[in-house]
Amino acid sequence: MQVASRLLAVVVTAVLSFASYPALAAQWYVAASGNDLSGDGSFGKPFRTVSRALVSAVDGDEVRVLPGTYRECFDTVGRAIAIVADAITRGGKPSDTVIDGAGACGGRFCDASDRLGCLAPSDCVGACVVVRGKGTCSNDSSVSCSVDTCDTTAMTCRAHPSVACSADSDCRNLDCDFGSCVPIRVCAETPDTWCGDDSDCPDGVTCTELVPGPVARLGSGSRVAGLALRHGRASGVLAYGSVAIETSEVTENEGPGGAGGIEVVSLASPLDGGLCLEVPAISCATASDCRVCSGDGRTPCASDADCADVGGTCGPETPCLPGRRVSISDTVVRDNGGDGARGGGGIRVAASAEAGSAMHVELLGNTVEDNSASSATSSGGGILVEAEGSGISRVRVDGGTVARNRAASAGGGMALHLSTEAGADASASVAGVTFDRNSATEAGRSSRGGGLHVLARGAGVERVEVSRCGVRGNETGGDGGGISAELDPSGPVGSSIALADNRVGGNTALGGGGGMALAVDASIAGTEARIEASGNEVSGNSASGPGGGGGLLVRAVAAGNAAGSASARLSENSIRGNFAAHAGGGVRLGATAESSPGPAAPASASIVFDHNLVASNGPAGPKEGLDTYATGVLAELSATGSASASAELDFLTVSANRSAKGTAGIEFAVSTAYDESGTEAGTASAALRNSIVSDNVGVGVEAIESPGPGAISLTVAHNAVHGNVRQAGPLDWGDEIGDRTGTSGNVSIDPGLGSGFLPGSCSASLDLADPAAPFADEPQPNGGRANLGFTGGTASAASTLADPSGDRKVDGRDLVWLDSAFGSVASDPARYLRSADFNLDGRVDGEDLAYLAASFGVVCP
Amino acid sequence: MRRNILGRAVPVALAVLAAMGAASCSGSDDVLFPRGLVAAFVADEPIQDGSVGLLAGSPPFVTLRVRVAARGIDDFFGAGFEISYDPDVLRLVRWDDADSFLRDGGAEADFIVDAVSQPGRVIVGASRRQDAGHTVPGVNVVGTRTLLTLVFKPKKASKASPVQFVTSPPGTCEARDSSLPPPGRAIPVLWKGGNVSVTSS
């Protein structure tokens, strides 16, 4: 009664203070030295607990927590309140302000202890560890113990005469036996009062089991900053709606049936307040509220004058849509465990947007380490983000580290799953994140994505981009040791996954795709799906299972009744030093298209693999020397019915790969089949163009065309195939493909590759590509024709030697040659010297002279 | 009109000169060019008509100037040549084309000198620059005229260190006339070198 009246007095005080300052949010102070009864929440008379401050706080208020340790759980559900550590605003760290849910947020404890938490009976029986004469319990170092012995005369322990014994071992750890592991029970209305039964509580008050809960249960609009949140029993943080978690530590929490560290469930609806679609940190009423300064892209403005401080001009209006925003930034999420069916050992964000609203999820600069998602079906050992609904979804994961997390099924480090409904517009980006030594192995071959798993399978338009990430040392029991990306849309058009400029190294797949496994499936009527990978460095990965593809495994599938179009394009990747125990040490590509009889449009599966370097890949594992083949690139095509499958390999450098047998460079395996009606057969086309296949240990290029009823097209043109050797002796072209040297522009020349497998200006592979291939991006002088190999036709291509005399050296003679024709134009053939017009602009002039000067002194061997 | 194409030797020369400028403070010049060394160039034989030869450009001194000179050659439009020397004895520090006969009549001329690509070898291009109307003739070299001057510094003492035109493979050194079509015709030329002696003063 006394407590209640005091509480009432405080509430009245608080309300009066709001009345005095109606326009200002109130600030409520909490200190370890405070008092929930006598305090008033002011700085001078702070409360003792956050929970008490929240009794007084209303929407928009801030609870300011002073340094200390607070054993409690708090709840802001239904209110928008900020809980901020005072220390973090003064340069401190989250561990200065600890909210510790041990014993306060439910769970179990050893009933003969002073609140020793436990999960299993064995946790309550520790060992007495004696060091330098001092003993402490292994399960509670705060408890002293001594090793007792058995008095075999009395048959009782000497220091514990009530305990019977027959040997010393019966008496060894008695001080560290804390009884049974039982659920925590508390007296009703006083949750910090533990009890065994009703007799431990005041008269009329019952002793009930404390329901496990999170340390922080956050309502929409709430914010947590600078706190260390530990020992939650239903996640560390359980949040709903729009929430922000900043610069905090969420550690050692558990989430039975859910996420371990942080679980956020958020549904955006048209009834929500407005957020700027492009800058969701800005609340808005109309699009005019969403103008921002171009200088920083986030400062609201109404005119250029508002941008004086940040620079730039005031940009145009952008959409304002009702929605919600989940933001977790600069937060450490460590040592948490969840066993929810979906997963998210460290963080799980389940986001959904109704039509007409937008859902924003931002995970920025977080450190997510040593978490686990242990359910057999769980994904995202560190992070699981799920986006659903029929509205707009925007997911952004930027920066930070995801390390040493474990998931049973998919995405040891992180899983990003999009499964939206028709009409949805979902996009997600993962950029600049380091995925390090995560694992997804427990589900065996069905697990995937040791570092990152991306799955887009909804009916809406879903676009995912993964860029600038470091993915290293991850492991999976299935496909995609580093990254597994699956695009399997159930909607019609426009969904895509792109992976760009990632560094993927040292990952392991016990299935296929040691570095990355990419799968695009358009097996539903009318779907078009595209997956792209460009600018990635994939090195030192291994695939030990039958899936193959030590560096990269790609599958494009369009199969089924009236299937759609599946395409994959892989450009400008470097795939080096990977290993596979089965097929495709570097890369394994597969395009499968099947169409059933009927009037629907035929299915198609296509892969474009261009401007890639595939080098120094090889066999590994127990099958080395037995089954490993196609250690550079293996391209497999299969087409059934009216469907078509194609693979275009263009501008590749495939070099220094090593095979124990068979092909070490490029192997095609092509087949066609009739559909069920036996009337239509598939079409398969493969092409290898403008490529260098050199110095591989094994056959250079081989094609296996399985006899079939359909049309097979194999184009091999404008390639340099040279110096490939298998144990039986030199063999550039496999038996099945025949020697193509001298036909269709194919040559057998030493490309003279230098460091990084780059051709120098003396390389014989310059200016030998298909004359119709684009060359304008090559730096001048480019000879008016693209080079062969992975840099051909690009800005990275080697320049053509400025050697008008044609003697393979650029010296003084060449200067005389050029100067003798200086000023001449192509329309005057008597004076024009084409070999001195390096840039082929029809004029011998100063630019040509500059090119010559730039390479003066070069002597080709 | 004077115009040089600055080839690879330029940064080298500048770097060397910069090091020399700093030598009074650091003493590093003593390492590059030990004090007390003087060099002299002696041609193999007197230059004759129809020749391009190396001639002494200065009396024995700490800086050795070697003239590349032509004598008695008609319609000399340009030349490309290479000169070998012992990089342990000499170092090319710059060249001078200000007095080149290639500029006779105010013609534009280009000079590219590379002393970096191959140690101990100077690769030279020196040519008048033709114009759109092909009105720039070659030079009728009467008497002995300077094509350009190479400036070396001695690095260590040597009694007779050869400085020679590189004549193998044939065509390494070549002069051409201004005839059409470009690049004109090769002019038969004798290429004459000499020796450098470096002594302590």
Side-chain angles (χ1 to χ4, degrees), chain A residues 474-725:
Chain A
N474 302 284
E475 182 182 17
T476 184
D479 294 346
I483 298 174
S484 165
E486 299 176 73
L487 179 60
D488 185 11
S490 54
V493 177
S495 291
S496 63
I497 294 177
L499 301 104
D501 305 319
N502 301 287
R503 302 184 72 160
V504 182
N507 303 284
T508 302
L510 302 182
M516 300 197 293
L518 315 178
V520 54
D521 191 331
S523 295
I524 293 178
T527 55
E528 288 183 18
R530 185 180 75 255
I531 199 162
E532 297 179 345
S534 61
N536 301 288
E537 290 184 25
V538 182
S539 60
N541 305 283
S542 66
S544 58
L552 189 56
L553 172 65
V554 180
R555 295 193 185 100
V557 178
N561 291 329
S565 169
S567 64
R569 178 165 189 170
L570 306 109
S571 304
E572 300 183 24
N573 301 286
S574 172
I575 301 151
R576 299 176 62 173
N578 303 284
F579 300 92
H582 193 60
V587 181
R588 184 172 190 173
L589 309 172
T592 303
E594 297 176 4
S595 287
S596 300
S604 69
S606 63
I607 294 175
V608 176
F609 189 68
D610 67 297
H611 295 97
N612 297 292
L613 170 64
V614 182
S616 305
N617 301 286
K623 293 187 176 180
E624 179 172 359
L626 298 174
D627 290 345
T628 305
Y629 59 98
T631 46
V633 179
L634 172 61
E636 298 164 300
L637 303 177
S638 172
T640 302
S642 59
S644 62
S646 67
E648 295 277 340
L649 279 59
D650 204 2
F651 286 107
L652 307 178
T653 298
V654 180
S655 187
N657 300 288
R658 182 173 60 89
S659 179
K661 69 170 190 176
T663 308
I666 298 173
E667 178 170 321
F668 293 98
V670 188
S671 65
T672 62
Y674 282 122
D675 60 21
E676 303 119 45
S677 68
T679 56
E680 287 192 280
T683 301
S685 63
L688 174 64
R689 298 186 177 92
N690 305 314
S691 296
I692 295 170
V693 183
S694 70
D695 304 303
N696 298 287
V697 180
V699 175
V701 181
E702 187 169 14
I704 301 171
E705 301 175 28
S706 301
I712 291 178
S713 166
L714 178 61
T715 302
V716 181
H718 300 286
N719 303 288
V721 183
H722 178 82
N724 303 290
V725 179

Side-chain angles (χ1 to χ4, degrees), chain A residues 809-813 815-817 819-824 828 830-833 843 849 852-859, chain B residues 5 8 77-80 82 110 112 114 117-118 123-132 134 171 174 176 180-183:
Chain A
K809 58 192 286 191
V810 183
D811 56 11
R813 297 174 67 212
L815 176 66
V816 181
W817 282 54
D819 269 350
S820 70
F822 200 92
S824 64
D828 184 0
R831 296 180 173 85
Y832 178 68
L833 186 62
R843 185 178 189 88
L849 189 55
L852 188 147
S855 56
F856 197 83
V858 171
V859 179
Chain B
I5 298 297
R8 296 183 178 199
F77 189 80
E82 298 181 21
D110 296 316
I112 305 179
D114 170 26
S117 297
Q118 300 177 62
I123 305 170
V124 179
S127 179
R128 290 161 79 86
R129 184 187 293 179
Q130 196 50 267
D131 62 17
H134 203 83
E174 183 178 86
R176 286 191 170 264
L180 282 172

Side-chain angles (χ1 to χ4, degrees), chain A residues 268-343:
Chain A
S269 83
L271 300 177
D272 292 325
L275 297 175
C276 296
L277 185 62
E278 305 301 330
V279 192
I282 301 175
S283 298
C284 56
T286 68
S288 62
D289 297 332
C290 297
R291 300 181 68 189
V292 294
C293 298
S294 60
D296 65 356
R298 64 173 185 269
T299 300
C301 58
S303 68
D304 291 349
D306 296 331
C307 300
D309 291 341
V310 299
T313 58
C314 189
E317 294 181 357
T318 56
C320 173
L321 286 174
R324 295 198 165 185
R325 174 179 177 237
V326 174
S327 174
I328 302 172
S329 59
D330 302 313
T331 290
V332 174
V333 181
R334 181 184 293 134
D335 289 323
N336 302 286
D339 65 0
R342 292 198 163 184

Side-chain angles (χ1 to χ4, degrees), chain B residues 83-94:
Chain B
I83 296 170
S84 63
Y85 63 96
D86 185 344
D88 293 331
V89 174
L90 297 173
R91 183 167 201 163
L92 182 73
V93 291
R94 65 178 186 273

Side-chain angles (χ1 to χ4, degrees), chain A residues 172-420:
Chain A
R172 186 164 296 155
N173 300 313
L174 293 176
D175 292 338
C176 300
D177 183 349
F178 298 111
S180 302
C181 184
V182 299
I184 294 171
R185 296 161 65 87
V186 296
C187 299
E189 299 179 2
T190 54
D192 57 344
T193 304
W194 287 22
C195 54
D197 54 37
D198 291 350
S199 65
D200 296 330
C201 300
D203 289 345
V205 177
T206 57
C207 179
T208 58
E209 185 174 327
L210 185 60
V211 177
V215 179
R217 193 188 304 268
L218 302 179
S220 188
S222 292
R223 180 170 74 97
V224 164
L227 297 174
L229 303 163
R230 299 174 183 168
H231 300 131
R233 298 304 177 204
S235 304
V237 178
L238 183 56
Y240 307 93
S242 290
V243 292
I245 300 169
E246 305 163 358
T247 325
S248 294
E249 290 181 1
V250 182
T251 59
E252 301 176 65
N253 301 282
E254 62 184 35
I262 300 172
E263 176 151 341
V264 183
V265 179
S266 192
L267 169 64
S269 83
L271 300 177
D272 292 325
L275 297 175
C276 296
L277 185 62
E278 305 301 330
V279 192
I282 301 175
S283 298
C284 56
T286 68
S288 62
D289 297 332
C290 297
R291 300 181 68 189
V292 294
C293 298
S294 60
D296 65 356
R298 64 173 185 269
T299 300
C301 58
S303 68
D304 291 349
D306 296 331
C307 300
D309 291 341
V310 299
T313 58
C314 189
E317 294 181 357
T318 56
C320 173
L321 286 174
R324 295 198 165 185
R325 174 179 177 237
V326 174
S327 174
I328 302 172
S329 59
D330 302 313
T331 290
V332 174
V333 181
R334 181 184 293 134
D335 289 323
N336 302 286
D339 65 0
R342 292 198 163 184
I347 299 172
R348 176 183 175 231
V349 179
S352 182
E354 293 181 358
S357 67
M359 184 71 232
H360 302 271
V361 177
E362 298 173 337
L363 307 182
L364 311 176
N366 300 296
T367 299
V368 183
E369 298 175 335
D370 300 303
N371 304 284
S372 65
S374 55
S375 165
T377 58
S378 61
S379 299
I383 301 171
L384 169 62
V385 177
E386 300 167 296
E388 301 175 349
S390 54
I392 295 174
S393 295
R394 297 285 183 267
V395 178
R396 185 161 78 96
V397 183
D398 199 330
T401 300
V402 179
R404 302 183 302 277
N405 302 284
R406 301 180 307 281
S409 180
M414 175 177 172
L416 173 60
H417 292 174
L418 307 183
S419 183
T420 59

